Amino acid sequence: MRVISCCTRFHAPSSFRISIVLRNHPQTHSCSLMEQYDLSANTVIDDPRALTDKITLIRDAGPSKFQVIADFDATLTRYRVNGIRGQTSHGLLQQGNEYYDAKRQALYEHYHPLEISPVIPIEEKTKLMEEWWSKTHDLLIEGGLTYDAIKNSVANSSIAFREGVTELFEFLEKKEIPVLIFSAGLADVIEEVLRQNLHRTFKNVKIVSNRMVFNDDGQLVSFKGKLIHVLNKNEHALDMAAPLHDQLGVDIGEEDEENNVYVKQRTNVLLMGDHLGDLRMSDGLNYETRISIGFLNDNVEKNIESYREAFDLVYLNDAPMWGALELVSRLFSTEAS
């Protein structure tokens, strides 16, 4: 049995190095890509000893206690594509109706400054975000959005995944580790992005986002479930994650399901996001050990200190996903498979 080892050095003391071992991987060229991409200049670890201790705790508990929670836009996807700002899952959507596309853009121009305002209290800002999302969803319905329009929008978009995302998902799927993709966007759009860009589905990946309902003609008629916006994309996780964890073999009873006990059994978390607010995605889960990865894609000098203090590990300048793959490979080596 052939074993291929790939190593990437981090910008950290010599006591902390991560090595990845891939066995019989269908895309062994990924190792050479990892070797060619030096992450050291784009990696910041504030406390290497604390990170190493967390790795030990999670590894000792095993994959059955582990889950991954990830933001979508600018975390799993690239911040820049061909040198310009890449599109988001919400921003790429074109209804095929210029009037309604323009109205949604006008909402963005009005509410986005409010979203990023440092002076608006959180309670007031939350109401504003609910207002923005509700109006946007109403426009999508009123404008007659179709699923064909979603497929065409994705096909014509500039959205792209970071290098290494496919390999990360494959590794986690093999280990039966759930991946919850949190997004304040649209689940149906994100799933179409996954289909068209990764060309496959993953049984362990679940989208926690706003879900559309289409009629027999493929036209949007309503939204399913509770509204998820940028400031509350943590509180619905336990309810919406239920089917995924059930599929992965946790024996649950009806009463336990209501209390989400089976989710709480996966008490070790890898959380990945590109904003400080993404750290709240694990709120509501009484985790034992959490490793957080922050992707600082822009304005590095301005934000580096806050990211370094908040996240266990920070990748700078739109870095690829190879570092996260190395990390989970250290947690759960394929040699034990």
Side-chain angles (χ1 to χ4, degrees):
M1 183 173 292
R2 187 182 181 193
V3 178
I4 303 174
S5 299
C6 304
C7 301
T8 299
R9 294 187 176 182
F10 288 142
H11 185 57
S14 58
S15 60
F16 184 82
R17 293 287 186 266
I18 290 180
S19 298
I20 179 171
V21 180
L22 302 177
R23 176 183 294 160
N24 289 346
H25 196 283
Q27 295 178 317
T28 54
H29 69 278
S30 63
C31 286
S32 60
L33 288 173
M34 292 171 65
E35 289 172 334
Q36 293 171 16
Y37 199 104
D38 182 8
L39 287 173
S40 61
N42 287 308
T43 305
V44 176
I45 302 172
D46 186 50
D47 191 340
R49 177 61 63 85
L51 178 54
T52 300
D53 290 345
K54 289 184 177 184
I55 289 172
T56 300
L57 288 170
I58 293 176
R59 183 176 57 216
D60 290 347
S64 66
K65 296 290 186 181
F66 186 68
Q67 62 179 299
V68 175
I69 297 175
D71 173 53
F72 186 74
D73 292 309
T75 296
L76 295 176
T77 63
R78 291 164 57 185
Y79 185 79
R80 291 185 181 84
V81 179
N82 297 324
I84 63 174
R85 179 70 170 93
Q87 289 179 297
T88 65
S89 56
H90 226 302
L92 66 82
L93 187 59
Q94 299 295 312
Q95 291 179 246
N97 185 313
E98 292 183 2
Y99 173 76
Y100 284 97
D101 288 338
K103 292 195 76 169
R104 287 191 294 113
Q105 180 63 28
L107 288 178
Y108 174 85
E109 292 173 359
H110 172 73
Y111 284 102
H112 181 63
L114 304 178
E115 175 193 350
I116 62 177
S117 170
V119 298
I120 298 177
I122 188 65
E123 295 82 4
E124 180 182 349
K125 186 178 291 189
T126 297
K127 292 179 180 178
L128 289 168
M129 296 304 100
E130 291 174 355
E131 187 178 280
W132 180 11
W133 259 249
S134 295
K135 289 180 178 179
T136 297
H137 289 183
D138 288 344
L139 287 175
L140 292 173
I141 296 171
E142 183 183 333
L145 178 70
T146 65
Y147 197 81
D148 284 342
I150 291 176
K151 290 192 288 187
N152 291 333
S153 295
V154 173
N156 295 321
S157 72
S158 63
I159 197 168
F161 286 97
R162 295 179 190 269
E163 291 183 3
V165 166
T166 299
E167 290 82 358
L168 175 64
F169 283 178
E170 288 175 348
F171 181 90
L172 295 170
E173 183 181 51
K174 181 179 180 181
K175 294 296 181 181
E176 297 190 336
I177 294 170
V179 179
L180 303 184
I181 298 177
F182 279 56
S183 175
L186 302 166
D188 305 82
V189 174
I190 292 172
E191 288 173 348
E192 189 61 31
V193 173
L194 287 165
R195 272 187 217 101
Q196 292 193 27
N197 286 270
L198 301 186
H199 308 296
R200 59 156 298 183
T201 59
F202 297 88
K203 65 182 181 181
N204 61 322
V205 175
K206 182 172 179 62
I207 313 299
V208 183
S209 188
N210 296 292
R211 178 72 59 180
M212 297 175 169
V213 178
F214 296 89
N215 63 19
D216 292 339
D217 296 324
Q219 183 171 318
L220 176 65
V221 293
S222 64
F223 283 82
K224 183 187 301 183
K226 299 177 181 179
L227 182 70
I228 299 178
H229 54 78
V230 70
L231 294 181
N232 76 340
K233 64 179 182 179
N234 61 304
E235 63 186 62
H236 303 298
L238 298 184
D239 293 335
M240 299 184 72
L244 174 63
H245 289 268
D246 189 16
Q247 289 172 10
L248 293 180
V250 180
D251 185 16
I252 61 174
E254 184 174 349
E255 181 178 352
D256 285 348
E257 181 172 354
E258 293 177 359
N259 295 322
N260 297 298
V261 170
Y262 56 98
V263 176
K264 295 177 182 178
Q265 289 176 351
R266 290 186 176 268
T267 51
N268 294 325
V269 178
L270 172 63
L271 183 149
M272 298 189 292
D274 68 303
H275 289 292
L276 296 177
D278 289 334
L279 290 163
R280 298 177 56 198
M281 292 190 298
S282 58
D283 288 0
L285 177 66
N286 187 24
Y287 59 83
E288 294 179 2
T289 306
R290 183 186 74 176
I291 295 176
S292 57
I293 294 179
F295 288 89
L296 179 50
N297 301 304
D298 202 10
N299 295 321
V300 172
E301 291 185 5
K302 178 180 177 181
N303 295 300
I304 182 61
E305 284 304 310
S306 58
Y307 273 65
R308 180 181 61 79
E309 293 173 1
F311 290 96
D312 294 303
L313 198 158
V314 180
Y315 291 113
L316 310 176
N317 301 313
D318 212 13
M321 194 60 70
W322 298 128
L325 175 58
E326 290 188 273
L327 176 60
V328 296
S329 297
R330 179 175 180 180
L331 293 172
F332 311 114
S333 171
T334 57
E335 291 180 334
S337 298

